Amino acid sequence: MAAVAEGLEPEAAATEDDAQDAVDAVGAVDAEPGDPPLLVGSRLSLDLYPGGCQRLRHLCARQSPQLLEVQFMQLSSHEDPRLLETTLAQVPCSLRHLRSLVLRGGQQRDVLGACLRGSLTTLPAGLSGLTHLAHLDLSFNSLETLPGCIPQMHGLSTLLLSHNHLSELPEALGALPALTFLYVTHNCLRTLPKALGALSTLQCLDLSQNLLDTLPPEIGGLSSLTELNLASNRLQSLPASLAGLRSLRLLVLHSNLLTSVPTSLAHLPLLTRLDLRDNQLRDVPPELLDAPFVRLRGNPLGEAPPALPSPPGTPTIPEMPRLFLNSDLDSFLVTPQGCSVTLACGVRLQFPAGATATPVSIRYRLRLPEPRLVPLGPHDSLLSHVLELQPHGVAFQQEVGLWLLFVPPRARRCREVVVRTLNDDSWSDLETHLEEETPKRLWAHCQVPHFSWFLVVSRPVSNACLVPPEGTLLYSSGHPGVKVTFPPGATDEPRQVYMQVVRVASGELRALLEEPGAAASPLLCLSQSGPPSFLQPVTVQLPLPPGVTGLSLDRSCLHLLYRTPPEATWDDITTQVALELTHLYARFRVTHFSWYWLWYTAKTRVEGLARKAWERLRLHRVSLIALQRRRDPEQVLLQCLPLSKVDATLRRLLERYRGPEPSDTVEMFEGEKFFAAFEKGIDVDADRPDCVQGRVCFVFYSHLKNVKEVYVTTTLDRQAQAVRGQVSFYRGAVPEDVPEEAEAARHRKGTDSPWMATLPIKLPRLRGSKAPGQGQGTSLSLAPLNLGDAETGFLTQSNLLNVAGRLGPDWPAVALHLGMPYRELQRIRHEFRDDLDGQIRHMLFSWAERQAGQPGAVGRLVQALEQSDRLDVAEEVRAVLELGRQKYEDSIQRTGLAPLDPSASPSPESAQA
């Protein structure tokens, strides 16, 4: 390891012998031969292995000259408290140029998977001598008071104190003239110091998940503040001085007890988001009510005020605890007292008192929909992702309330929304009530006796009844003219009967039959439990097709159609039943149930036409789009959109993307699989879980966003000219034997061809030494990168580009958790000050270049993403690694290097499916 003499004091310059001593010292504290070194350049990572304090003491005792160059140090706080304090006392003498100090807990977890806090309760007073310190992270520790040395660190710009036990902050905190970022989330703060308003350089202040009930008026003096997060506190009112935060862009106040907000908040000139969800607001100033940047869900707007207090002596019922989970938490504890829980994924749960006899740990996971997890009927539509609540099957002593958020469909006539759940290996629909959050967002509310899988579905109006031996009448609530009469003796035991009615638009039928006078009744589906046939004929009543009456119709034009299961063919059974006609209705008798449809047409053979008409009822008219990011043409957005959403979506996207016009109209079924294939020299530049043999897989759901962003590459020479390729969309799953492009093109126009559309993709000519995958304005020139190894999985350059495209403004937190010096972050911000994408990519790739060939780099990236509350990106990285590991295992099995595991069993998900 070469010593860097530049910038050191003369007496600290290292001789050749000193440098060798330092290398020996560092090597002596490595855990195993081949492990990554603890000291690399200006970075000292002592949290990689246990015993970090002993390693640091050993380095200080050897007086390694390289310690004087260390600017960033990580040390786990899961150590003995006394050893930790005595070790930290040596830091000011040995690491004089330290700029970033990370003393985090949270690396260890309990049996339920929750992060354990470190043992740090204070800091040595001597740490105030770290005159260069700009970044201090004390998160996930056991601090009850702020260490006295911190207000004396006058160069400190970032202070992270989340997940401690702080009940107050000292007035001396206002003496930090350079403080820019202050995070004190998940503590026990009840008040704030008045001196907080003196932090004129503060830009980001996060005080969420505390016990604050008031704010000091002095908070309005934070003239540079751009982000203020006060979510999940006990605030009942806000000071009028908030109007002085003229630089504020983000104000988060959700999950408090606010009953009013100042009108002046609407006049903050730079405010782009005001989150007031889940408060007690019954009235909001009109300026805020109509503002597009305000979020108001979960407030009793317009409701009557609460009742007057009860007379003295009346027993009081304790208030149910309220939990608000952030995205970094996937579990919570429910006690017999009960609680109300709001999850970050748009789900609410209410456990009444006594629902559990003992404390129960609840876990949740929101899954992307796929056919094996989404049971849909022929005319159903999916409205939500799939929610899994665990433990499965555990019965509650009282039913638990469940609220799922969804966007309602436009067509709601003769349709209803239900929550569907998996129960004893079969799916059933729960009794569901709808509650409006906003006109465009609704809650689906139901009561559940136990936990399983849940999703929101739009289905045709359904009715059911229990048919006793005495007989009964069943009619449709969506179309009262549809009735079924069960005579006495139709069944010898009670059986459950179900009815669904599908509304049919006559215009489409006329277009299909090319007959102006054609018409059809509603489509009726009847099903039952028990034996397939009834003991006595059952009378079914259907309304005559629109425009047709029993007095004027031509009986030769009337056709009763019956859908034959399981072949799904339609038969004309008009001559096999006795049709009884009235002025408005047709009645007939059957002994078993299926689908029935009444047509009025001059056509004589209508069975094939009925099959086509039934398919058309279930088809959605869509367009396919392929857009390239303006700053980074290698980033391609693929989306399948219903025709009604194409124009609005393109208006929103074309500020950042450009590309060809949408495809011609394509018809697709709900839940239909399709895939995108890049052609003519362009390929997907990543191993993704949704990518098979270079094809990107989709499942179409009409009310969800069928969108994916991928990075593409080419083997052609882009230095000479631009590459003009294309992306084609095909129906179905990716075939096992993917045809060559030329062969696929020959069959593209066939009647049974899976091809749907082809859109052009252009990768512009490279100028200079710009590497593939870099955006405009970025000056990086990178060799191909592969982090990781074959057994644990690789992350390629394209994978890193995908990660970079997802980070957004969270990149500085990720960089700091990766161990990058704060000074380097400031340099990147300055060098790419007008290019956020350039900042992110430069940070990630410069870090990745330094990690090339070192084990554990991918794990550090995943950990940094988790510590930065980006669990979504961390999960995506894990999925890519799992895919790589699977490919590696398959390859060694194919070559005979490893035997197949005969005991391998399917996953719980596949078993449930």
Side-chain angles (χ1 to χ4, degrees):
M1 183 184 305
V4 181
E6 181 180 356
L8 296 181
E9 298 177 5
E11 62 269 23
T15 65
E16 186 175 342
D17 292 338
D18 293 333
Q20 185 59 48
D21 288 343
V23 173
D24 294 340
V26 174
V29 294
D30 282 345
E32 297 287 345
D35 281 340
L38 304 179
L39 179 57
V40 179
S42 62
R43 175 187 176 192
L44 180 59
S45 301
L46 296 167
D47 60 337
L48 301 178
Y49 312 105
C53 285
Q54 293 290 357
R55 299 170 192 272
L56 180 58
R57 290 165 66 92
H58 186 83
L59 285 171
C60 293
R62 296 294 298 267
Q63 297 182 356
S64 302
Q66 280 85 353
L67 289 182
L68 293 175
E69 301 172 20
V70 171
Q71 297 184 15
F72 180 92
M73 187 180 81
Q74 286 180 298
L75 177 64
S76 172
S77 59
H78 293 289
E79 301 269 1
D80 178 77
R82 292 184 179 178
L83 177 62
L84 188 61
E85 185 174 0
T86 56
T87 302
L88 291 175
Q90 302 180 33
V91 168
C93 298
S94 302
L95 293 91
R96 303 174 190 172
H97 296 87
L98 197 65
R99 292 184 58 83
S100 178
L101 177 60
V102 177
L103 301 171
R104 288 176 59 97
Q107 288 92 355
Q108 300 177 11
R109 295 179 179 268
D110 61 17
V111 293
L112 297 178
C115 294
L116 294 175
R117 299 179 188 269
S119 60
L120 189 69
T121 57
T122 187
L123 291 177
L127 288 185
S128 61
L130 295 173
T131 57
H132 299 282
L133 194 67
H135 173 265
L136 179 61
D137 187 351
L138 304 177
S139 305
F140 283 99
N141 278 295
S142 304
L143 298 174
E144 296 184 0
T145 58
L146 192 71
C149 63
I150 291 181
Q152 302 176 39
M153 298 177 178
H154 298 301
L156 201 62
S157 63
T158 300
L159 178 58
L160 309 179
L161 299 167
S162 299
H163 294 275
N164 277 280
H165 301 299
L166 297 171
S167 58
E168 62 178 0
L169 296 174
E171 293 287 342
L173 190 67
L176 296 175
L179 194 62
T180 306
F181 302 93
L182 176 59
Y183 293 84
V184 203
T185 70
H186 291 85
N187 277 273
C188 306
L189 297 178
R190 296 181 179 274
T191 59
L192 294 177
K194 296 180 180 180
L196 187 69
L199 299 173
S200 58
T201 60
L202 193 64
Q203 296 181 15
C204 296
L205 176 60
D206 192 341
L207 299 168
S208 59
Q209 300 282 349
N210 278 283
L211 303 175
L212 299 171
D213 51 18
T214 59
L215 298 176
E218 288 78 7
I219 197 172
L222 299 173
S223 57
S224 301
L225 196 66
T226 60
E227 297 182 11
L228 175 58
N229 191 340
L230 294 163
S232 300
N233 279 280
R234 299 178 178 179
L235 298 173
Q236 301 183 36
S237 61
L238 299 174
S241 61
L242 289 181
L245 303 177
R246 310 299 289 176
S247 301
L248 198 64
R249 295 178 180 272
L250 173 65
L251 178 55
V252 181
L253 293 162
H254 73 72
S255 308
N256 277 279
L257 303 174
L258 295 173
T259 57
S260 63
V261 292
T263 306
S264 56
L265 294 182
H267 305 299
L268 292 175
L270 302 179
L271 194 64
T272 59
R273 183 183 176 192
L274 173 58
D275 193 341
L276 294 168
R277 294 173 298 162
D278 295 307
N279 278 279
Q280 302 298 318
L281 299 172
R282 289 183 169 81
D283 188 22
V284 175
E287 296 91 337
L288 291 175
L289 192 62
D290 299 331
F293 57 83
V294 180
R295 303 291 183 268
L296 290 167
R297 171 176 60 82
N299 285 284
L301 295 173
E303 295 183 8
L308 295 175
S310 303
T314 304
T316 58
I317 301 176
E319 183 181 357
M320 180 177 292
R322 299 168 62 192
L323 302 178
F324 301 93
L325 269 65
N326 293 332
S327 58
D328 59 340
L329 299 177
D330 60 357
S331 63
F332 55 93
L333 191 67
V334 176
T335 65
Q337 183 184 357
C339 62
S340 174
V341 184
T342 300
L343 308 181
C345 58
V347 176
R348 287 162 48 193
L349 294 160
Q350 185 164 4
F351 297 84
T356 63
T358 59
V360 177
S361 178
I362 305 296
R363 301 182 68 86
Y364 76 94
R365 179 165 51 168
L366 200 65
R367 289 177 170 267
L368 293 175
E370 51 181 294
R372 67 187 180 90
L373 292 178
V374 180
L376 295 178
H379 299 277
D380 294 347
S381 297
L382 182 66
L383 302 181
S384 73
H385 287 66
V386 182
L387 173 69
E388 181 185 10
L389 293 172
Q390 295 178 334
H392 291 177
V394 175
F396 295 103
Q397 298 183 16
Q398 295 190 49
E399 290 188 334
V400 175
L402 172 64
W403 285 262
L404 296 169
L405 195 63
F406 70 98
V407 177
R410 289 189 176 184
R412 300 169 69 176
R413 183 179 176 186
C414 296
R415 297 189 68 86
E416 60 187 355
V417 173
V418 295
V419 175
R420 188 161 293 174
T421 184
L422 182 65
N423 184 13
D424 296 332
D425 298 327
S426 63
W427 291 86
S428 59
D429 293 342
L430 301 174
E431 182 179 349
T432 306
H433 304 280
L434 301 185
E435 301 175 6
E436 184 174 297
E437 183 198 43
T438 67
K440 294 184 178 181
R441 289 161 67 91
L442 299 179
W443 290 101
H445 171 216
C446 60
Q447 299 293 123
V448 297
H450 60 266
F451 280 170
S452 179
W453 307 72
F454 302 91
L455 55 145
V456 183
V457 172
S458 170
R459 70 179 188 188
V461 170
S462 181
N463 298 99
C465 73
L466 187 67
V467 179
E470 297 80 16
T472 188
L473 173 68
L474 174 64
Y475 67 92
S476 170
S477 58
H479 202 304
V482 179
K483 298 180 181 180
V484 181
T485 304
F486 300 89
T491 177
D492 54 1
E493 294 183 358
R495 68 174 74 180
Q496 195 77 15
V497 175
Y498 306 92
M499 170 193 291
Q500 271 192 342
V501 178
V502 180
R503 180 174 171 268
V504 178
S506 298
E508 294 210 4
L509 181 63
R510 296 190 189 104
L512 175 66
L513 300 180
E514 298 179 350
E515 183 181 348
S521 71
L523 180 59
L524 172 63
C525 175
L526 296 172
S527 59
Q528 60 173 320
S529 62
S533 300
F534 289 94
L535 301 178
Q536 298 289 336
V538 174
T539 302
V540 179
Q541 174 179 293
L542 281 175
L544 292 173
V548 179
T549 65
L551 301 178
S552 60
L553 64 79
D554 181 353
R555 291 187 70 105
S556 65
C557 295
L558 198 62
H559 303 269
L560 179 61
L561 301 170
Y562 167 82
R563 183 169 176 261
T564 307
E567 294 82 4
T569 59
W570 287 86
D571 294 333
D572 188 347
I573 60 171
T574 311
T575 59
Q576 303 173 29
V577 299
L579 275 176
E580 176 188 344
L581 302 179
T582 68
H583 184 63
L584 298 176
Y585 302 104
R587 300 189 182 98
F588 53 94
R589 295 183 177 183
V590 296
T591 57
H592 54 275
F593 282 168
S594 184
W595 294 75
Y596 299 95
W597 207 355
L598 201 59
W599 277 28
Y600 191 77
T601 174
K603 306 284 186 183
T604 55
R605 300 190 62 84
V606 295
E607 292 89 344
L609 294 172
R611 179 182 60 82
K612 292 181 180 179
W614 185 64
E615 288 184 352
R616 184 166 293 187
L617 284 176
R618 302 183 296 122
L619 284 170
H620 298 270
R621 296 164 62 84
V622 303
S623 281
L624 301 156
I625 63 174
L627 303 176
Q628 294 173 262
R629 196 174 183 90
R630 293 181 182 273
R631 289 187 175 181
D632 190 354
E634 290 88 359
Q635 184 177 354
V636 180
L637 180 145
L638 306 173
Q639 190 167 10
C640 178
L641 286 166
L643 289 184
S644 59
K645 299 180 180 179
V646 171
D647 291 341
T649 302
L650 287 179
R651 282 196 299 269
R652 177 173 52 84
L653 290 176
L654 288 180
E655 294 181 1
R656 294 170 293 144
Y657 296 85
R658 60 186 168 199
E661 292 294 321
S663 72
D664 294 336
T665 301
V666 178
E667 293 182 333
M668 300 190 72
F669 292 106
E670 184 83 4
E672 182 176 354
K673 292 183 177 181
F674 67 101
F675 64 91
F678 289 92
E679 299 165 342
K680 292 190 175 181
I682 295 182
D683 197 4
V684 179
D685 188 22
D687 275 340
R688 299 164 49 108
D690 57 355
C691 188
V692 179
Q693 301 184 60
R695 273 61 174 168
V696 183
C697 304
F698 290 80
V699 182
F700 171 73
Y701 293 106
S702 56
H703 293 89
L704 301 183
K705 294 181 178 179
N706 308 285
V707 59
K708 293 184 180 181
E709 289 197 69
V710 299
Y711 279 88
V712 297
T713 185
T714 180
T715 56
L716 304 179
D717 183 12
R718 289 177 60 192
Q719 297 286 351
Q721 62 181 3
V723 176
R724 299 180 183 275
Q726 63 188 28
V727 58
S728 295
F729 295 87
Y730 299 88
R731 296 185 189 276
V734 177
E736 293 183 4
D737 298 324
V738 177
E740 297 293 333
E741 288 185 24
E743 181 183 349
R746 284 198 300 271
H747 298 285
R748 185 166 292 170
K749 296 298 184 180
T751 55
D752 296 328
S753 170
W755 173 82
M756 294 188 293
T758 295
L759 298 171
I761 297 292
K762 178 183 176 182
L763 296 181
R765 182 168 67 92
L766 291 178
R767 302 183 183 276
S769 59
K770 181 175 178 291
Q774 287 181 235
Q776 310 261 350
T778 308
S779 59
L780 286 174
S781 178
L782 298 173
L785 290 172
N786 282 290
L787 294 181
D789 53 68
E791 294 189 16
T792 60
F794 280 112
L795 282 185
T796 65
Q797 174 175 290
S798 177
N799 298 142
L800 290 175
L801 285 169
N802 192 41
V803 171
R806 298 280 302 279
L807 290 184
D810 295 328
W811 75 268
V814 176
L816 291 172
H817 288 121
L818 285 173
M820 296 188 71
Y822 190 73
R823 184 175 64 181
E824 185 173 352
L825 265 65
Q826 293 174 320
R827 180 186 60 79
I828 293 174
R829 280 197 179 105
H830 177 74
E831 184 175 349
F832 300 90
R833 51 189 174 275
D834 297 324
D835 183 7
L836 177 62
D837 293 337
Q839 294 174 5
I840 300 170
R841 279 193 295 270
H842 193 97
M843 176 277 295
L844 195 58
F845 276 93
S846 59
W847 171 82
E849 279 191 311
R850 292 193 293 267
Q851 306 301 311
Q854 296 188 24
V858 176
R860 287 193 290 274
L861 176 59
V862 173
Q863 183 181 20
L865 292 168
E866 291 177 335
Q867 292 171 343
S868 307
D869 293 336
R870 291 309 304 266
L871 296 183
D872 55 335
V873 185
E875 287 298 324
E876 183 174 318
V877 172
R878 285 197 183 95
V880 171
L881 295 174
E882 181 60 32
L883 180 65
R885 284 192 292 266
Q886 186 62 47
K887 288 185 176 181
Y888 174 76
E889 292 171 2
D890 292 345
S891 66
I892 64 174
Q893 288 172 358
R894 284 196 300 270
T895 56
L897 298 178
L900 292 171
D901 184 4
S903 63
S905 58
S907 64
E909 293 88 344
S910 60
Q912 286 194 13

